[in-house]
Amino acid sequence: MVDHLELDKVAPFLIKLFEIVSSPASDNLVCWSEHGESFKIVDRTKFAQDVLPLYFKHDNLRSFIRQLNIYGFQRCQNSS
């Protein structure tokens, strides 16, 4: 179990990101990869409209992606 003191040291964006991707309610829009090493935004438009405003003060996907890049996330090649 994660110690709450350690959780205080994690950036709020990363906590929100984990909540978004882990939420069963948004699985049709964003989900973990098969091995849990990455995540995929299934429907970019609906994700921006329906999910982002629940966690952030905007629905701007480009801003969300910019934040991901700031924290070192990188786009993966499509597995299709």
Side-chain angles (χ1 to χ4, degrees):
M1 186 164 174
V2 176
D3 185 352
H4 287 288
L5 293 176
E6 290 179 21
L7 204 54
D8 289 342
K9 297 177 185 175
V10 177
F13 175 80
L14 298 176
I15 293 171
K16 290 178 184 181
L17 175 62
F18 182 81
E19 290 173 358
I20 291 169
V21 180
S22 297
S23 172
S26 62
D27 278 350
N28 60 326
L29 301 176
V30 60
C31 59
W32 290 108
S33 66
E34 182 179 348
H35 300 291
E37 296 172 346
S38 62
F39 66 91
K40 177 180 181 179
I41 299 174
V42 180
D43 185 331
R44 295 168 61 104
T45 303
K46 293 223 20 105
F47 174 77
Q49 291 173 347
D50 299 346
V51 178
L52 289 182
L54 298 175
Y55 294 88
F56 305 102
K57 296 177 183 177
H58 64 80
D59 64 357
N60 188 333
L61 184 62
R62 293 177 84 182
S63 178
F64 177 74
I65 292 170
R66 200 172 304 118
Q67 279 293 112
L68 289 171
N69 292 335
I70 288 170
Y71 285 98
F73 288 85
Q74 298 176 359
R75 185 178 189 138
C76 297
Q77 294 294 327
N78 288 338
S79 59
S80 52

